[in-house]
Each structure stands twice: as structure tokens, then as C-alpha cells.
Amino acid sequence: MSSTEQARLQDAAKLVEHSAGEPLGAGAGAASQLWLVHTGHVQREEEGHVHVLEAGETTGWRAVLTGRNHASCTALDAVNAWELPRDLLLVFLADNTRFAGLVFADISGDLASDTQADHDREMMSLMLVRVKDAYLQKPLFVDADMDVVSVCRFLADHKATHTLVRDTQAVPQRIGMFTTTDLRDALLNSIAPSALPVRAVARFDLISLPADAELFDALLIMLRHRVHRVLVQDGEQILGVLSQLDLMSFMSNHSHLITLQVEQAHTVEDLRRAALAVDDSVKALQRGGMRVEVISRLVSELNGQIFAKLWSLLAPPELVQRSCLLVMGSEGRSEQILKTDQDNALLIQDGYHHPSLVQITEQFSAALLTFGYPPCPGNIMVTNPIWRQHLAEFRSSVGQWLYGGDPEGKMNLAIFLDARALAGDASLLEQARSYTVQLVRGSDSFLARMASAVDQFTEPATGFWGRLSSLQVKDADTFDLKKIGTFPIVHGARVMALEHKLDALGTADRLKALAQLQFLPAPLARDLVETLHMLMGLKLRNNLRQRSLGEPLSNLVQLSSLGTLDRDQLKDALAIIRQFKLHIKLRYRLP
């Protein structure tokens, strides 16, 4: 702008203060001004797109040009914004070609961003289609007795990079796969390829999926087992092969890219870059409309690979093989999404000692801190000797948790019940879990004491439900999504799963299993699963908002930041949680 134009704009501009939750302007309708954020943060919603604006950003030029505002803008915190008159801006656009060019370039960028968001949403929805509806490569078969050279000629004739191998001589008969990658092993074999039967180099430990599985399940399988192809079956019939390349055509996030970064990481710094990309992937998934329970499972797989890779980079192979690295809590249940804290442990084979174990575990936790995983407030980490023990010592600790007087005992046991093995000797976890279940068997008094924790956190004082239903709430009113929301569901399902010796780790899986075995009314189990996912989704949105504002992530959500629909759902969720608490109290005869 020229100095004259700048002076005219300064004279016409008006600095307006807005408190948190207050709208900027009149919302949708005729546009008479442009808002320029001076301080604070503004949330703009327009045609299904949500943007958080910071200092120096405007509410959008499209409304100025069209004369109609289709967006709603709300202050997320204390905001000072300049009100710039539309009529004056239109004069500048007509008279100043350079200024107009910059404005139209900005509008073009916004349109491209929104178009990409729509594309992401469409592609995310494709991840929920059935595997049978995706592109499957038709199965090709060769006999296991065929020599490798003949198999390669067969692949060339069919322009294929893999074939299934049918071994009818094995008992029972088996199906394997030979790929061009396996040709490397064949060439290194002492037998000439022309005389080497393909069964000697084919892989028979194939991974398969039912035809009705979701594409997302295929993605998880590939991530978990680090394979590039899975069989798709309808019962015993093999329908085809789903490859990683075909699956990636359905994807709009960078999950596989993160996995490749993890696999190829040779240093802690390489791995750190991959770990820092996870939260951005979560944001893209959430913006694309993917269900929160699907996001949590994907993030769980990515986090598990990152933890296991870090452990392999820091710990010598012998220590990795003779120990078992665990994650617990929400990470163990695959219910943690954004990075909140570290919940991990290490079980060690009896009789094995490593002189640098303490230093290695300290390096492990310190590296996770640089990856964005904060320390656990309860010190539930491998750096804590309680969570870094030999198997026999850990069994003794479990006994003390069960029958000792330590008030933290029942919560430590609850945390361990959600443990999931990531690296090393998984049988150590199986032995520790089996011992725990055997020890608890018949101990109704302990189960009752453990179940009583569902009332550990009380609801807010009288009148809270009324404020929850009100259209006007105070800025100071907050709701703890974990203590009052998810914890009673998670813990109640955990106690009942322990009582009935269920192997499921995820809360939703536990509730469904309890209902299937008729230990929990099916309608209540269904409502609890829906409530859990609703609360998880609300927490994710709240955490993303906190992250945009540069605030620490927490479980507290301000009721003033929730719309009427969210508050109604929260009220219904509390009613369902109360019903579940009553069920737990009656089941375990609690006062």
C-alpha cells in the first residue's frame, strides 16, 4: 500500500476487544467489515472447515468480495481484532493492482487448503469400506515342487511380482507365497535355482483377512506384522491378495511413510523425526472425519513401533531378547491418541543381569521425552525400579499389591492389567498375567476393593447438571473428561474382565465380550461403548484446541467452549456412567 492508503486505513480501522466465546461480527449474513486478529486466537468455521486464526491473520477475504459472510468466527481466548471497513478495502482492490494481486493469491491458497481438506475427508471415508470392495490382485498358484527358474518364468509370463505356492505334500496342506524378493535367498542357496524347489524359499507364515474386514484392519495388519501383502479370504476360499501399494491408493495420511521412517531409522534422531510426525497425522485423520476409535488403534500401532525401535537402538540384542518391554494404561488399551504421558515397564528373565540396565532405561525415557512423550506423573516408567523387575520379583510385587497395605497397590495392579508387550520375550508378560489371574481367583474381597475405585472421583457439586443443560455457563465451569468421564467405564470394565479372566485389553472389546458372555446387559454395554467413544472424541477435539492455543494438554474441558449438542451428549453420558456405577456396586456389594 502507498503511504496515503496506509493512512486512510489507519484512520478507518477500529480495535475491538472480544472475550473468550464471544462471536466476531454478526455471523452469517451481509459482510460489512474484515477482521484482522491483533492478539489472541479466533476459530473460524465455514462450510464444514475449521481454522484457528492467530495474530496477523484475517477472517477471510471471500466475504469482502462477495458481500456475504458464510463463516462464523468465535474468540477462543481474549482477542483484540481490527475491524476494517469493507467499502474502503474494495476501493483499494480496484485502485492498487499489486495489493489486489496479493489478496487474490491469499484467497487462492485458502481455497486450495479447503479443497485438500475435502479430499482428505473423502479418502478417509474410503478407509472404512470393506476389503472385498477394494482392488484385489487375482491369486496365482504354482506347485511347491516347481523349481525357482520355472517360477520366475511363470511370473514373467503373467507380469506379476508374486505367486502363491500350493504345497500338497505337507500335512496338513499349506499355502505359501514367493515374491521377487525371495529370489535373492534362492540365488544365495547352495542348490542351483533350476534344481531348487520353490517350497525351500517360499514363505508359509502368511497373514490373511476376511473379505468383510475394513480396509483399516488391513492397514493395521500390515503395520503390525511389517508385511506388504495380505491374503483376502471368504472362509477357506482365497479371493485375492491385497498389496500395500493398492492400499495406499485409498490413503490420505502419512501412516505408511511414518512406518517406513521408523523401519529405516538408524539413530535416535532419525526416529525422533518420525515420532514428531504422528500428531500431525492424527490432526489430518480427525479433520478428515475418521472415527476416533479407528484413529486410536492406528496411533497405537505407530507408537508401538516407535517404542520398540527405540528400545532396539538403545538396548543390546541380548537385553532385548531376555526382557519384555511393556506399555500400560491407555497406551496398552490402544485408547491414547495425542501424546500425554509415558506408561511403560520392563520385565526381565530371572537370573539375567545387565550392568548398564539403569543407564539404558534412563536413556530410553529421556529420548521419549524429546519425542514429545511427557514423563508419567505417577512415575510409571522403566526408570522406576518398581516397573523394572525380574519376573520372580514382579510376582512378589503383585502379591503385595493384592494383600499388602499399600494404598497404591490396587491401582498399580489395575495399570498392569492393561499391559501390552511391544518387544522382547512376550512370554514374560504371559507368565506374569497368568500368575496375577491365579492369585486373584476366588478373592471376592479384593475384587470388591478394586471395584470401589469407580467412585474414586466424585461428580461436581449439586447444580452442575443444571449448568450443563443451560445455554449460558460460566467460563470457570470445567469438566474432567477422564476422572468423571472415561475412568469409571475403563475401570469397571477392567475389574469385570479380571473377574471373568478375559484376555481383551481394550475397554470396548472388554465390554463387548462381557455382553456376549451375558455378564453385562447388552444394551448397557452398547451404550457404554458409544459413551466411551464420544468422550474420547471430545477429548481429542479439546486437546487439538489446546494444542492450537499453545496450552498444555489436559483432560479438563471448559463447558463454555462446548455447543448445546455437546453438552446434551455429555449429560446423557453421565447418566449412562451412573447406571454402570450402580451395576458395579450391586455386582460387588459395595456400599
Side-chain angles (χ1 to χ4, degrees), residues 265 416 442 474:
F416 169 67
K474 299 178 181 179

Side-chain angles (χ1 to χ4, degrees), residues 130-132 134-138 162 177 207 209 214-219 222 227-232 239-250:
R130 303 298 175 183
V131 169
K132 63 183 179 183
Y135 174 74
L136 301 179
Q137 299 180 27
K138 293 182 178 180
H162 71 274
M177 183 180 291
I207 307 297
L209 277 175
E214 293 179 350
L215 277 181
F216 181 75
D217 293 320
L219 170 62
M222 291 179 181
V227 296
H228 300 284
R229 300 175 181 86
V230 293
L231 292 184
V232 178
L239 301 181
V241 177
L242 178 64
S243 73
Q244 186 183 91
L245 288 176
D246 295 328
L247 178 57
M248 287 180 68
S249 67
F250 287 85

Side-chain angles (χ1 to χ4, degrees), residues 25 31 85 143 161 205 216 249 251 294 309 315 323 389 398 456 460 469 486 489 527 585 588:
D143 191 83
T161 58
D205 53 343
F216 181 75
S249 67
M251 297 184 62
V294 177
K309 183 67 174 185
S323 64
Q389 297 192 73
V398 169
Q456 180 176 349
S469 303
T486 58
I489 303 175
D527 290 346
K585 289 180 179 180
Y588 296 102

Side-chain angles (χ1 to χ4, degrees), residues 155-406:
L155 291 176
D157 292 341
H158 289 82
K159 296 181 174 60
T161 58
H162 71 274
T163 181
L164 298 177
V165 178
R166 185 182 282 115
D167 191 353
T168 58
Q169 295 183 14
V171 180
Q173 296 184 10
R174 56 181 183 168
I175 296 293
M177 183 180 291
F178 176 83
T179 71
T180 51
T181 303
D182 298 319
L183 180 59
R184 175 193 58 196
D185 297 332
L187 294 176
L188 296 175
N189 198 289
S190 57
I191 303 175
S194 59
L196 181 66
V198 70
R199 71 159 52 86
V201 289
R203 300 176 185 273
F204 289 91
D205 53 343
L206 303 184
I207 307 297
S208 63
L209 277 175
D212 287 330
E214 293 179 350
L215 277 181
F216 181 75
D217 293 320
L219 170 62
L220 284 182
I221 289 292
M222 291 179 181
L223 291 174
R224 183 178 301 128
H225 296 280
R226 294 177 174 83
V227 296
H228 300 284
R229 300 175 181 86
V230 293
L231 292 184
V232 178
Q233 294 183 268
D234 184 5
E236 295 298 321
Q237 181 186 5
I238 297 176
L239 301 181
V241 177
L242 178 64
S243 73
Q244 186 183 91
L245 288 176
D246 295 328
L247 178 57
M248 287 180 68
S249 67
F250 287 85
M251 297 184 62
S252 63
N253 61 80
H254 305 292
S255 305
H256 268 290
L257 296 180
I258 296 175
T259 302
L260 291 175
Q261 284 181 287
V262 172
E263 290 180 350
Q264 297 171 5
H266 297 293
T267 66
V268 173
E269 179 58 27
D270 292 340
L271 191 59
R272 187 182 74 88
R273 285 192 288 268
L276 294 177
V278 174
D279 282 355
D280 289 334
S281 180
V282 169
K283 186 176 181 180
L285 290 165
Q286 192 271 344
R287 186 178 181 185
M290 183 171 280
R291 300 196 311 260
V292 67
E293 66 270 25
V294 177
I295 297 176
S296 66
R297 288 166 59 194
L298 174 60
V299 172
S300 173
E301 291 296 333
L302 293 175
N303 285 342
Q305 291 188 18
I306 290 169
F307 298 155
K309 183 67 174 185
L310 177 61
W311 184 241
S312 70
L313 289 174
L314 297 176
E318 184 183 11
L319 174 57
V320 174
Q321 295 167 7
R322 303 194 66 175
S323 64
C324 182
L325 180 67
L326 314 175
V327 288
M328 300 176 294
S330 57
E331 192 70 70
R333 299 190 305 271
S334 299
E335 292 166 6
Q336 181 167 296
I337 304 179
L338 294 179
K339 303 179 180 74
T340 53
D341 55 18
Q342 301 179 32
D343 278 333
N344 46 52
L346 188 71
L347 290 177
I348 309 165
Q349 290 181 5
D350 291 332
Y352 175 74
H353 299 274
H354 192 281
S356 303
L357 178 61
V358 174
Q359 294 89 333
I360 293 171
T361 54
E362 289 177 349
Q363 291 172 2
F364 180 78
S365 291
L368 287 180
L369 180 60
T370 67
F371 289 7
Y373 302 92
C376 175
N379 200 22
I380 304 166
M381 300 184 294
V382 292
T383 51
N384 186 343
I386 296 177
W387 297 103
R388 185 188 66 231
Q389 297 192 73
H390 290 84
L391 179 59
E393 297 171 340
F394 189 78
R395 284 175 168 174
S396 177
S397 294
V398 169
Q400 293 175 9
W401 294 341
L402 276 167
Y403 303 114
D406 185 357

Side-chain angles (χ1 to χ4, degrees), residues 20-21 473-478 545 557-563 567:
V473 294
K474 299 178 181 179
D475 291 341
D477 286 338
T478 59
R545 175 181 176 272
V557 59
Q558 286 190 345
L559 296 183
S560 60
S561 69
L562 301 180
R567 293 204 298 274

